Amino acid sequence: GPGLFLRSIRSTLIPFVTIPVSLIGAFIFLYALGFTINILTLLGIVLAIGLVVDDAIVVLENIYRHIEDGMSPRKAALVGSKEISFAVIAMTVTLAAVFTPLAFIPGNTGKLFSEFALTVAAAVLVSGFVALTLTPMMCSKLLKHHAKHSAIYNFTERFFVAMNNGYRRVLGKLVRRGVVGRLIFLGVMFGIAGFGIFTLLSMLKSELSPQEDRSWFMTYTLAPEGSTFAYTNQYALAIEKILKDVPEINTSFVVVAPGLEKPNPVNIAMSFNMVQPWSQRTKKTSQISGELFPKFMALPGVLTFPINPPSLGQSFRNLPVRYVFQAPTYEKLAEYNDKLIAKARDPQSGLMNPDSDLKLNKPQLKVWVDRDKAASMGVEVDEIGRTVETMMGGRQVTRFQRDGKQHDVIVQLEDAERAQPNDLTSIFVRTKDKQLVQLSNLVRVDEGVAASSLNHYNRLRSATIEANLAPGATLGQGLDYLDKAATEIMGDAKLTAYDGISREFKESSGALVLTFALALVFIYLVLAAQFESFTSPLIIMLTVPLALAGALFFLFWSNSKIPVTIGVLMGADIPAPVVASVGGTLNVYSQIGLVMLIGLITKHGILIVEFANQLREKGKDKAEAVIEAATLRLRPILMTTAAMVLGALPLVTASGAGAESRSPIGVVIVGGLLVGTLLTLFVIPVAYTLLSGKLRHVDEDEASSAVPIREPALAGVGHGRIEPSLAAPAEGRVSMRREEM
């Protein structure tokens, strides 16, 4: 940024030094807070690299401008840092304040992202301090005035002069239009932004977090209710053979009755499959599992499907969709359950393999004991129960040792002799006089079905539908579909809730919306306190909807081709597989990027409004002051935008493990800054002429005691604060002004 716009290698070194200083300072805060080096704190550090240089660039550009005007480097460092200090403090505090609500998001998501938010905030605060201390000192030592410049400088200077003059002309035509013309311009801009935000939010898919490639996946097998261990095991062996034919899988571990539920059902099997490292394969785990799905569906007799583990550390036992519905009776619950499952199996639902925990088809044998006949024949009821338990279920009666190993002795009928319901009545029991009596004389066996479990949620009878997501579908789509289906089926009696990952998704979405609103309130209050005005912060925050529209557009437009294309153009070595992240969803990462964007884009408005207020302090009218301020601040605004965009580009072009989570933040920041900055340069000056209040000057006697500020160095007075002039008398006389509402 500085090297391109200032065309000086020395100037590039100054903000470059702020990067390690600010990051090391941030690590001191992380140590004090007890944080660790992890994915989220490192993500914050990567983002901070593009942010910590902003304040230093603004101070550097202002000092450099004074030196080019003929001022000595030492005096330019004093004057330039003094006149920009208020803007730097306002920008630093504003950006740090926007992260404050992120640190208080409830739930597991909040615990994760509080470290990310505080890491970035700490780095930004340290960078603001460095920009007002180390940067001016380095400028006074490294920068020099050049009476003559090189041919390259003179050639590029013509471009920058033409850019400034063209911007001034266009801005002058907009600002000096009538009130109606300016209102129409603002109405069109914010109308387009508002329409774009509303439309894109309705079109963007939503999810808790992008599906990351974690180099492993699972399969889940469900056999019919009442299946034996042997039945499930034979299908587990068939699944193991299918997995062995996948070249990307290094190891597989298949287990029947994994014990994840109580009681441990034997009609469940799972496999855990480790795939090759990212650099050694050309497919993502989601592609591998997607190709296996039709092979599993071809297995008759069981339901098998692959599961990719969740990205934020949630339990792998739960599928992403867990939709709970409740009813006053189990009969009504079963009716709702059948209809909802039928709806969920619609291909348009975006759900795969929906299943319910309300299972009323578990085979059951009811054994009715004729107590009178048993008593007349001298058979105890507990003897009947013990005999059935031993012969059918098995009983450990003793242990024995052989060759140093201990073996259990279990009494049980052979499998072939206990396969049919009639086998239950063919066994014998002993009477008190040691006679054998066939059990069919004493009991009656009825075949039927029953519920495998009767579940409750919030103390009400409930059932839970679990499902995987179809390729390309998101969690938000699946839950919205089930909500609409439940409304159609249950009507006014609808009583639903979410569980597991689905509940965390809904809670985090609501918390982030509140966080977004709190971030706007925090920034407004911080700016209002600093500017001592209610209108100046409002003007500055008009940049937010413009940037949000750009960010959402880039988020919607982003796809796997964009990061790879940018990476190739930048000369990056994109390793195999040539697959980058798809950032086009609203998730916790992209939403946090939107919150961060609020603090980033308001920096431009602060620079323009603060310098316009300083010029009006000298007696210029609104139009002249804001045109001069915007033109004067054009170069630092473009420099800081370039620094932030280039700092976020590595996130956009990221490939490999974890890229799915990093990319959304980069896409949001790059898109929001590019569009927001372009529109800010025209919208803020026009809004300033319409909304800013009058400046109330101090008395003439006091004003005459302050040394006049020469053009174009606007040293001296910051808006809404008291500052001694550089050449103030010994008694410390000051000049000040406030903005009237």
Side-chain angles (χ1 to χ4, degrees):
L4 175 64
F5 285 88
L6 303 182
R7 289 142 294 165
S8 169
I9 297 178
R10 289 171 177 262
S11 65
T12 305
L13 297 175
I14 296 171
F16 182 78
V17 171
T18 64
I19 296 176
V21 174
S22 300
L23 297 185
I24 291 172
F27 278 118
I28 296 174
F29 283 91
L30 298 185
Y31 178 78
L33 292 170
F35 293 166
T36 60
I37 301 298
N38 53 57
I39 294 296
L40 291 168
T41 52
L42 288 177
L43 178 60
I45 291 297
V46 171
L47 279 175
I49 292 175
L51 305 182
V52 296
V53 297
D54 288 1
D55 296 335
I57 288 175
V58 171
V59 174
L60 166 66
E61 191 277 338
N62 208 44
I63 295 173
Y64 186 85
R65 179 169 53 85
H66 287 297
I67 293 176
E68 288 298 296
D69 289 338
M71 191 178 291
S72 66
R74 185 177 183 278
K75 187 175 181 180
L78 292 172
V79 174
S81 60
K82 186 179 183 65
E83 70 181 12
I84 202 68
S85 60
F86 176 78
V88 170
I89 293 172
M91 292 189 299
T92 301
V93 175
T94 298
L95 187 54
V98 79
F99 289 104
T100 305
L102 286 178
F104 299 99
I105 299 178
N108 294 331
T109 306
K111 292 177 183 177
L112 290 171
F113 286 99
S114 60
E115 294 193 10
F116 165 80
L118 293 175
T119 298
V120 180
V124 169
L125 288 174
V126 174
S127 72
F129 176 77
V130 171
L132 294 176
T133 54
L134 180 62
T135 299
M137 183 276 293
M138 294 182 66
C139 288
S140 67
K141 302 297 183 182
L142 296 179
L143 299 183
K144 295 181 180 180
H145 174 72
H146 299 281
K148 294 183 179 180
H149 295 283
S150 64
I152 296 177
Y153 183 97
N154 293 329
F155 175 78
T156 54
E157 184 66 14
R158 287 193 291 270
F159 167 77
F160 288 113
V161 170
M163 179 183 68
N164 272 26
N165 292 338
Y167 174 64
R168 182 190 293 270
R169 284 194 300 270
V170 174
L171 190 60
K173 293 180 180 179
L174 287 175
V175 169
R176 291 194 169 92
R177 287 182 179 271
V179 175
V180 176
R182 284 176 284 169
L183 287 175
I184 292 175
F185 171 74
L186 292 179
V188 170
M189 296 303 296
F190 287 106
I192 294 174
F195 176 78
I197 292 174
F198 177 79
T199 304
L200 291 168
L201 284 177
S202 63
M203 296 173 65
L204 281 168
K205 300 176 181 179
S206 59
E207 58 185 345
L208 179 62
S209 62
Q211 185 65 56
E212 294 181 348
D213 187 331
R214 293 179 171 266
S215 295
W216 72 282
F217 68 96
M218 303 177 298
T219 65
Y220 186 86
T221 301
L222 182 64
E225 289 293 331
S227 300
T228 63
F229 183 92
Y231 179 90
T232 309
N233 187 59
Q234 66 177 344
Y235 282 99
L237 294 175
I239 292 169
E240 189 175 27
K241 291 180 180 178
I242 295 175
L243 295 172
K244 285 182 178 179
D245 294 334
V246 180
E248 289 84 4
I249 296 179
N250 279 339
T251 57
S252 291
F253 172 69
V254 184
V255 57
V256 178
L260 301 179
E261 302 176 16
K262 294 182 180 180
N264 186 12
V266 297
N267 65 322
I268 293 176
M270 297 185 71
S271 75
F272 302 86
N273 313 289
M274 302 299 298
V275 301
Q276 295 172 345
W278 180 272
S279 58
Q280 299 178 15
R281 52 189 165 92
T282 58
K283 296 179 182 178
K284 298 173 70 172
T285 53
S286 58
Q287 293 175 291
I288 298 172
S289 59
E291 293 174 359
L292 285 171
F293 182 75
K295 298 179 181 179
F296 292 148
M297 289 295 101
L299 289 174
V302 293
L303 177 65
T304 303
F305 51 88
I307 301 175
N308 290 292
S311 301
L312 291 179
Q314 298 93 346
S315 173
F316 64 84
R317 295 167 53 186
N318 296 332
L319 299 180
V321 176
R322 285 183 61 84
Y323 191 78
V324 182
F325 55 98
Q326 299 167 314
T329 63
Y330 282 108
E331 290 76 13
K332 201 69 175 175
L333 203 63
E335 177 187 344
Y336 292 157
N337 182 74
D338 294 341
K339 292 180 179 179
L340 271 177
I341 287 290
K343 286 275 189 182
R345 286 174 178 160
D346 188 329
Q348 303 299 320
S349 67
L351 305 175
M352 286 198 325
N353 307 313
D355 192 22
S356 173
D357 64 353
L358 183 64
K359 299 185 183 301
L360 304 178
N361 60 345
K362 187 177 182 66
Q364 178 176 279
L365 297 178
K366 291 185 179 180
V367 180
W368 304 95
V369 179
D370 188 335
R371 291 177 177 269
D372 294 335
K373 185 180 288 189
S376 65
M377 299 185 69
V379 179
E380 299 288 343
V381 174
D382 61 345
E383 181 68 21
I384 295 174
R386 181 179 294 272
T387 301
V388 171
E389 176 191 3
T390 302
M391 295 294 124
M392 297 297 169
R395 174 184 291 274
Q396 178 184 324
V397 293
T398 187
R399 297 185 179 92
F400 73 93
Q401 291 186 353
R402 176 183 292 175
D403 299 331
K405 295 182 180 180
Q406 183 171 278
H407 303 271
D408 295 331
V409 177
I410 298 176
V411 176
Q412 188 181 46
L413 288 176
E414 292 287 344
D415 292 344
E417 297 178 359
R418 55 189 181 94
Q420 302 296 326
N422 291 336
D423 294 338
L424 181 66
T425 58
S426 63
I427 61 178
F428 290 80
V429 294
R430 288 192 180 275
T431 63
K432 291 181 179 179
D433 56 2
K434 307 301 180 181
Q435 299 296 317
L436 291 176
V437 178
Q438 192 169 358
L439 198 61
S440 59
N441 297 319
L442 305 175
V443 301
R444 185 182 84 252
V445 179
D446 294 337
E447 296 184 44
V449 293
S452 58
S453 62
L454 298 175
N455 299 313
H456 291 71
Y457 187 88
N458 287 339
R459 299 185 179 182
L460 295 177
R461 296 177 179 91
S462 68
T464 302
I465 290 180
E466 289 187 317
N468 244 325
L469 295 170
T474 60
L475 185 55
Q477 285 179 303
L479 295 180
D480 289 344
Y481 182 89
L482 289 176
D483 274 330
K484 293 178 182 177
T487 302
E488 295 175 6
I489 295 170
M490 303 179 192
D492 296 335
K494 175 184 173 183
L495 189 61
T496 60
Y498 308 97
D499 196 17
I501 298 175
S502 298
R503 181 173 62 182
E504 190 167 345
F505 164 69
K506 288 292 185 179
E507 289 177 351
S508 65
S509 298
L512 283 169
V513 171
L514 178 61
T515 300
F516 192 86
L518 288 176
L520 291 173
V521 173
F522 272 48
I523 287 183
Y524 182 83
L525 294 177
V526 167
L527 291 176
Q530 291 176 317
F531 280 86
E532 295 185 5
S533 165
F534 290 110
T535 54
S536 290
L538 184 61
I539 297 170
I540 292 169
M541 293 181 66
L542 290 177
T543 58
V544 173
L546 306 175
L548 291 182
L552 292 175
F553 173 74
F554 269 68
L555 196 63
F556 177 75
W557 181 58
S558 65
N559 54 62
S560 61
K561 296 179 182 178
I562 295 171
V564 174
T565 303
I566 296 176
V568 172
L569 292 176
M570 294 178 62
D573 182 17
I574 306 296
V578 186
V579 179
S581 59
V582 178
T585 62
L586 277 175
N587 51 65
V588 290
Y589 294 98
S590 56
Q591 287 172 326
I592 285 175
L594 291 173
V595 174
M596 180 186 298
L597 188 61
I598 300 174
L600 296 178
I601 200 63
T602 51
K603 286 186 170 189
H604 306 333
I606 291 172
L607 285 175
I608 295 175
V609 171
E610 167 63 8
F611 268 68
N613 287 339
Q614 290 187 24
L615 286 171
R616 290 180 65 197
E617 164 78 12
K618 296 166 55 179
K620 293 187 176 183
D621 61 20
K622 289 183 184 179
E624 185 181 0
V626 77
I627 292 173
E628 181 67 28
T631 305
L632 198 63
R633 295 292 89 196
L634 175 63
R635 188 164 63 172
I637 287 175
L638 295 179
M639 289 166 62
T640 55
T641 301
M644 289 186 286
V645 168
L646 291 174
L649 270 184
L651 296 177
V652 180
T653 60
S655 63
E660 298 88 348
S661 298
R662 296 192 292 268
S663 179
I665 294 185
V667 170
V668 166
I669 292 176
V670 171
L673 285 176
L674 289 178
V675 176
T677 300
L678 178 63
L679 299 180
T680 294
L681 293 172
F682 300 99
V683 170
I684 291 297
V686 174
Y688 184 87
T689 61
L690 293 171
L691 300 178
S692 64
K694 296 181 179 179
L695 293 180
R696 184 170 60 206
H697 294 273
V698 296
D699 296 337
E700 293 184 3
D701 293 339
E702 291 187 3
S704 63
S705 66
V707 175
I709 304 172
R710 70 174 185 85
E711 290 279 8
L714 310 176
V717 187
H719 184 23
R721 67 193 188 287
I722 301 174
E723 275 192 359
S725 179
L726 289 176
E731 59 268 29
R733 234 182 227 221
V734 298
S735 63
M736 68 174 290
R737 50 96 174 110
R738 296 177 183 272
E739 183 177 337
E740 292 182 348
M741 296 307 302

